[in-house]
Amino acid sequence: MEYFTIDNRKIIIDDSILSNYINSGEYGDIYRYNENQCIKIYKNKEFKVKYFLTTYLFNYLKEIESENLVAIDELLYENNKNRFQADAYIMEYYKAIYQNILLIPSDYLIENIENLLILSKELSKRYIILDDLKKDNTIFTKDKIVLIDNEHYILNRNISQREIFHTNNSNISCLFNQMLLKELRKYYNSQTSAIYTDKLFPVTTRSTTIVNTLTKRLNRYKRPMDYINDNRI
């Protein structure tokens, strides 16, 4: 497979790379590119092209310095004339360490959510709305929570920065609310699971509420599971 970079360098993706499959989503497949990078190649579906990462959005995202946002190193294009939407991109490789939010260390969780809310503010300054936040688009590495698949983010200058900030905060709180709820339903009924979930991750637009609530509940516990075990209904 042959691609071109924004500065017209030719990149060849050979079979050895395509054999290093990592996973697949609705819009693209991810392969290991080298020791430190992977590559996402969009599937060739014309009606899905609106979900491909645009050069315009990428230029805004690369202004943001955040370890919680996937580091995209290079946009790739199928021809050397179209520079509007990428057909693939090379990004940093992240190794997932944690899978179950109930077992994540409390200090890790609090610190990363604080940093995600800082990211929320930085995105809102650029009129970028966090969209399509879900567990599949979130990687829990050894020391940070990384949001991937940011081609789904929305750039909208018709909404105020304050409103976007509140929307982003709400989407972040929803992300963790739904992740915790899913895990708790393996052990409790839906009503009990929802009570525990709302105690730790209330859905709100206020960043201070998100952090203060979580800190208050977990400050004496190593993991969310320890808090829940000690506060059984």
Side-chain angles (χ1 to χ4, degrees):
M1 301 177 71
E2 181 179 280
Y3 292 100
F4 296 89
T5 66
I6 193 71
D7 57 353
N8 210 33
R9 288 179 290 110
K10 185 183 293 187
I11 302 290
I12 303 297
I13 308 300
D14 58 30
D15 290 342
S16 64
I17 293 173
L18 297 177
S19 66
N20 291 327
Y21 172 82
I22 297 177
N23 60 36
S24 179
E26 185 176 359
Y27 310 112
D29 300 312
I30 299 177
Y31 305 89
R32 194 69 176 265
Y33 187 65
N34 56 39
E35 183 180 357
N36 300 313
Q37 296 173 307
C38 53
I39 181 170
K40 180 170 185 177
I41 300 176
Y42 289 117
K43 296 177 181 177
N44 186 21
K45 296 181 179 179
E46 291 297 328
F47 66 97
K48 300 293 187 183
V49 72
K50 66 179 180 178
Y51 297 110
F52 293 7
L53 181 60
T54 66
T55 308
Y56 189 60
L57 176 58
F58 169 73
N59 287 335
Y60 277 96
L61 291 172
K62 71 180 182 180
E63 296 175 356
I64 300 173
E65 295 183 6
S66 172
E67 291 188 342
N68 298 98
L69 188 65
V70 58
I72 297 177
D73 301 315
E74 193 97 68
L75 298 187
L76 302 178
Y77 309 87
E78 287 184 347
N79 62 67
N80 59 1
K81 294 181 180 179
N82 176 24
R83 293 291 185 269
F84 175 64
Q85 286 177 311
D87 297 293
Y89 59 80
I90 298 170
M91 58 184 167
E92 185 175 336
Y93 171 75
Y94 300 94
K95 182 176 177 59
I97 299 297
Y98 302 107
Q99 297 293 337
N100 188 341
I101 192 171
L102 288 168
L103 305 179
I104 291 175
S106 295
D107 54 353
Y108 170 102
L109 196 57
I110 293 168
E111 179 182 354
N112 274 279
I113 287 179
E114 287 176 336
N115 290 336
L116 284 170
L117 293 168
I118 293 172
L119 171 61
S120 168
K121 190 169 187 177
E122 290 302 311
L123 289 166
S124 69
K125 290 178 181 178
R126 295 163 176 82
Y127 298 91
I128 297 173
I129 302 171
L130 285 168
D131 195 33
D132 198 36
L133 290 189
K134 55 187 179 183
K135 175 69 183 303
D136 289 345
N137 293 342
T138 310
I139 300 176
F140 293 83
T141 73
K142 181 180 179 181
D143 56 359
K144 55 184 175 285
I145 298 173
V146 182
L147 303 181
I148 62 173
D149 282 4
N150 46 34
E151 53 262 55
H152 300 288
Y153 297 175
I154 300 168
L155 185 60
N156 190 339
R157 293 186 175 275
N158 295 319
I159 304 176
S160 71
Q161 292 176 336
R162 179 181 177 83
E163 186 176 352
I164 291 175
F165 181 49
H166 286 165
T167 298
N168 287 344
N169 291 344
S170 177
N171 290 343
I172 289 170
S173 63
C174 278
L175 168 66
F176 288 93
N177 181 285
Q178 291 304 304
M179 281 195 288
L180 184 62
L181 185 62
K182 181 179 179 180
E183 292 298 332
L184 284 174
R185 281 177 173 164
K186 298 176 182 177
Y187 309 98
Y188 304 100
N189 62 42
S190 294
Q191 183 178 2
T192 302
S193 298
I195 292 172
Y196 283 136
T197 297
D198 290 340
K199 282 181 178 293
L200 286 173
F201 294 108
V203 177
T204 176
T205 63
R206 296 179 62 84
S207 56
T208 53
T209 299
I210 297 170
V211 174
N212 291 343
T213 300
L214 192 62
T215 302
K216 180 181 178 181
R217 306 293 187 201
L218 296 183
N219 62 359
R220 295 190 297 110
Y221 300 96
K222 290 184 178 181
R223 308 168 303 171
M225 179 62 88
D226 299 327
Y227 165 81
I228 292 169
N229 287 338
D230 200 32
N231 292 270
R232 287 182 179 275
I233 297 172

